[in-house]
Structure formats: structure tokens, C-alpha cells
Amino acid sequence: MSEHVWRHLNLCPNGDPDASIEDAALAVRDGTIAWLGAARDLPREFDAWPSTNLGGAWVTPSLVDCHTHLVFGGHRADEFALRLRGASYEEIARRGGGIVSTVRATRAADEDALLASASARLEPLIAEGVGAIEIKSGYGLELESERKMLRVARELSRCYPVSVYTTFLGAHALPPEFAGRADAYIDEVCERMLPALADEGLVDAVDVFCERIGFTLAQSERVFEAAQRRGLPVKMHAEQLSLMGGTALAARYRALSADHLEFLDEAGVQAMKEAGAVAVLLPGAYYFIRETQLPPIEWLRRYDVPIALATDCNPGTSPATSLLAMLNLGCTLFRLTVPEVLQGVTRHAARALGRGDRHGELAPGRPADFVVWSVSTLAELAYWMGRPLAARVVRAGATVHTAPVSPWTGRFLDTCAEAFQRSAQ
């Protein structure tokens, strides 16, 4: 039996700084939280347990990245450079670029290559405190390649100390071989791809890109119906580029979340509220494509719709591997508050995955997945840009990552210690 007490920490158990506990303690038995609260109230039964003094550091639940496309082949940095020089998306597409280039690269890559490239994107997320992540398919667009992507996502959960939840996004775009035959491709998605992948245990949820350049409401509903027959929850890329009414459709199917939402109207917000869906905002994509239409933040607040944030890590519109950066962008671009963005990557993000009972909050009986931060106030998590802030990442009570101490910092600390010893003599 493994037992440990973490002492003298400032605890934010659910991502809300206003619900924090100063000078707290956290008792962990066999990877599960046995007790938490103010240190002065720590029961005597824990006195004999081994302990670690965190010296007043801030502790939050592990972060949750609830919308990513982390597994894909190649990259599109050269297309980014072309756009900066004035090339249009259409011109790049005519050259064989855009999503077609990612589909081509993903289909060509084997599982080992996809695992290696996805690992390079996952590792910095874990190092900054991510303990749960959603990974979508959608760059294979045919059965074998979609299977390959989802298998790699499952393998990441075995290779790394992170919970991976897979989402089948076969209805992401129209593959070249189905050009002009969108309904036929939806037949393929619903009647062949989804049943096969679900039977293999590779699918936790189903997504669809409902947009003028994606799939229609009728086609999206067919995907939802297929998911429903398999007992799988749904979510939707909705209202990113235009008001299609996809969010209202998602709400009718009790979707876990609707994501992007820049063009969402008040009726759609109200439908989300009634359905209990989470609004997943993706400021990285908003920033990268230089969007100007803001999501309806005030309506989301007025109807008390939970707001989550995610990286949307993907090669075309959000090549982001930092969830903390999304906190800053959420505040600066969307004018969200610090409590909103912190809950947006903890309990609300967990709810967007349908995993609110497992992730996003710290409480007795839950897994001891948390982050020890090298900050003096939680506002720093949304304030700093590009600075590593996670001092220690804990998974099931065991430390899985610690921030390295640079030689310069080490020498500085040694000098301080020597000076202290001289002054005490």
C-alpha cells in the first residue's frame, strides 16, 4: 500500500481560484485522494504517513486538453510561409496543399512514424500539466488510415502518463476520391467506418465538421444517428465560419460539446444550455487564421453555459502544443477572466469529454492527478507567455515530471545557501 501526504500547499481543487484553500494538505493512498482540506484539520491518522512539504506552492487538478487533432502526418509550415507571402487558400489547394496534403502525408506514414511525431507534440503538453487529452481522427478519411490514427492515439495512452480519449472524426472533410459525392462518403462513414472502428474499441466519441466547406446539417445528422445506434456520445465542430445551425442540431442529440462557435447566435446558446452541452472555445485557431468574429462570450455567460478551452492542435489552423498559451489567448482575445480560463482547462474541459467524474477536480475518492506550480498567484498561469510553470506533475499520486533546474539557477541557489550559512555563523 502506497501512502503519502502533501503538506503546506495552496490548493485550488476545482479550477476556481475563489474556492481555494490556503495552507492545505492532500493525503493520497494507492493513487487515490484519501483526504484534502486545511492543514490544521488534517486527521491524526495521517500523521505517520510519509510527507512532502510543498512550501506554499499552488496546486490545481491536472489540466485537460479537450479538443486536439494530435495525430497526423507531416506539417504545413511551408504553406504558412506561402500565405504570409500572399498566396490564397485556393491557390495552395490547387498546388495540392491544404487538408489534402495532410491526408496524403497521414495515409503514407506508418504507425511508428505517426507515434513518433505525435509523441513530440504530446510531451510538452504533459510537461506543462496536461493529464487528460482528447485526440481526433480525421486525416485518414478512409478506414485503414482512420484506424491507424486511432490505434496510435490508444498507444500514446500506454506510452505516457496521460489519459487519452479518442474521437472518430471521419466526417472531417471530403476525401479526393469522393469529390462531388459527399452523400456517398457519409454512407461510407456511417455504414462501414464507424461500425468497424467502434467494434474494435477504438472510439470513445464521434465528431463531425458541420460547415459550408464541411458537411450539411442533414449529413451531420446522419453521422449522429449512426453514433447513437452505437451508444456513442457526439460532439460537433460548429459555427466556426458561418451560422449553419449545427449547434442546435448537436443540442438535440445531447452533444457533449459544440466547438469553435465564433458565429453562434443566441438561440444556439440557449439550446446548448438546455442540452447541458459545453462550449469549447479554440483561441489558437482564432488567432492563427486571423479571425475577427468573436464567439458570443456574453451570451454564454448570460445562459451559464460552461466554457472550456483547448489547443485544437492541428497542422492547418492551430499548430499549438501549449495549453497554457490558450489561457493567455483566451483572456487577451476573448476577454475571459482568470477563473473562467482556469475552469476551462480543468472541470469544464473534463465535462466536455464526458469525464467530469474522473478529471478536472480534486476530491476524496478521485485520482490524485495534480500539478504543483512555480507561481505566487494563479493569475500567473494566464499571464506568462512561453515560460514553463509546472514545477511537478503528479499522476495517480506519483511524480511523472519535474521541472529541470538550470545550471545557472543551481549555482544561484548554491550561492544563496552559502551566503545564508555564513550569515548564520
Side-chain angles (χ1 to χ4, degrees):
M1 180 178 291
S2 173
E3 298 172 337
H4 200 88
V5 178
W6 303 83
R7 299 175 182 270
H8 302 301
L9 53 112
N10 290 312
L11 181 63
C12 180
N14 64 5
D16 183 358
D18 296 331
S20 297
I21 306 170
E22 296 183 359
D23 192 19
L26 187 66
V28 178
R29 177 189 287 118
D30 294 337
T32 300
I33 297 171
W35 185 92
L36 62 76
R40 64 179 179 274
D41 298 327
L42 182 67
R44 300 292 291 274
E45 64 183 281
F46 301 114
D47 286 350
W49 287 19
S51 66
T52 298
N53 185 337
L54 292 179
W58 277 100
V59 170
T60 70
S62 292
L63 308 185
V64 179
D65 196 352
C66 63
H67 180 130
T68 85
H69 306 252
L70 198 76
V71 176
F72 56 84
H75 61 77
R76 279 147 66 184
D78 291 338
E79 294 179 21
F80 175 64
L82 286 172
R83 288 206 311 273
L84 294 176
R85 283 159 39 192
S88 69
Y89 184 87
E90 183 178 353
E91 290 169 337
I92 291 171
R94 282 202 303 268
R95 300 180 193 181
I99 192 172
V100 173
S101 66
T102 299
V103 171
R104 187 165 54 244
T106 302
R107 289 179 175 181
D110 62 21
E111 289 189 24
D112 287 342
L114 290 175
L115 181 64
S117 63
S119 295
R121 293 183 280 271
L122 179 61
E123 287 171 4
L125 289 165
I126 294 173
E128 68 173 22
V130 171
I133 188 168
E134 184 244 28
I135 299 178
K136 303 178 190 293
S137 67
Y139 288 119
L141 305 184
E142 52 90 22
L143 179 57
E144 289 306 318
S145 295
E146 290 288 296
R147 175 184 285 125
K148 179 172 60 177
M149 293 182 69
L150 293 168
R151 283 169 54 89
V152 168
R154 286 281 194 246
E155 185 62 21
L156 288 169
S157 68
R158 290 186 281 269
C159 295
Y160 289 94
V162 64
S163 296
V164 174
Y165 299 101
T166 56
T167 296
F168 172 59
L169 182 57
H172 188 198
L174 195 62
E177 59 269 24
F178 278 89
R181 298 187 297 129
D183 285 333
Y185 179 63
I186 292 297
D187 289 341
E188 177 76 2
V189 167
C190 297
E191 298 171 12
R192 182 165 178 258
M193 295 166 68
L194 176 55
L197 298 172
D199 286 347
E200 293 167 25
L202 293 174
V203 181
D204 296 321
V206 176
D207 197 349
V208 59
F209 182 36
C210 182
E211 188 55 73
R212 289 176 302 188
I213 62 172
F215 296 94
T216 67
L217 285 170
Q219 291 161 349
S220 299
E221 185 164 18
R222 289 184 58 201
V223 174
F224 282 178
E225 289 170 345
Q228 193 174 63
R229 288 194 293 271
R230 290 278 164 174
L232 292 167
V234 298
K235 52 184 67 179
M236 178 181 276
H237 286 61
E239 268 66 84
Q240 180 186 9
L241 305 173
S242 63
L243 179 59
M244 289 273 294
T247 301
L249 172 64
R252 290 208 308 274
Y253 282 82
R254 315 302 289 185
L256 294 173
S257 69
D259 304 25
H260 285 291
L261 305 179
E262 281 86 343
F263 286 82
L264 180 61
D265 62 1
E266 187 173 6
V269 173
Q270 189 170 7
M272 291 186 70
K273 172 62 177 178
E274 293 170 354
V278 177
V280 178
L281 305 185
L282 304 169
Y286 179 94
Y287 165 80
F288 196 77
I289 68 173
R290 294 186 286 187
E291 180 59 75
T292 58
Q293 174 76 28
L294 285 167
I297 302 298
E298 289 306 317
W299 282 338
L300 293 171
R301 287 170 174 158
R302 183 184 309 166
Y303 287 94
D304 196 27
V305 174
I307 297 172
L309 297 177
T311 61
D312 191 19
C313 177
N314 76 78
T317 62
S318 187
T321 57
S322 170
L323 189 55
L324 290 183
M326 300 305 108
L327 302 190
N328 182 277
L329 292 178
C331 291
T332 56
L333 298 179
F334 296 163
R335 299 297 189 264
L336 296 172
T337 66
V338 170
E340 285 173 331
V341 296
L342 289 179
Q343 291 175 87
V345 295
T346 51
R347 64 175 179 172
H348 294 333
R351 182 174 168 183
L353 295 181
R355 306 288 176 169
D357 60 338
R358 172 66 173 78
H359 303 288
E361 294 190 42
L362 299 173
R366 284 176 172 256
D369 298 343
F370 57 87
V371 188
V372 182
W373 300 101
S374 57
V375 299
S376 60
T377 170
L378 290 175
E380 290 187 65
L381 299 181
Y383 167 74
W384 293 109
M385 300 175 68
R387 177 177 173 178
L389 298 175
R392 184 193 298 257
V393 179
V394 176
R395 172 85 171 169
T399 297
V400 298
H401 174 80
T402 54
V405 177
S406 73
W408 296 275
T409 301
R411 287 196 294 270
F412 173 73
L413 294 175
D414 289 342
T415 301
C416 291
E418 290 170 3
F420 177 78
Q421 289 173 353
R422 287 195 300 271
S423 67
Q425 291 175 352

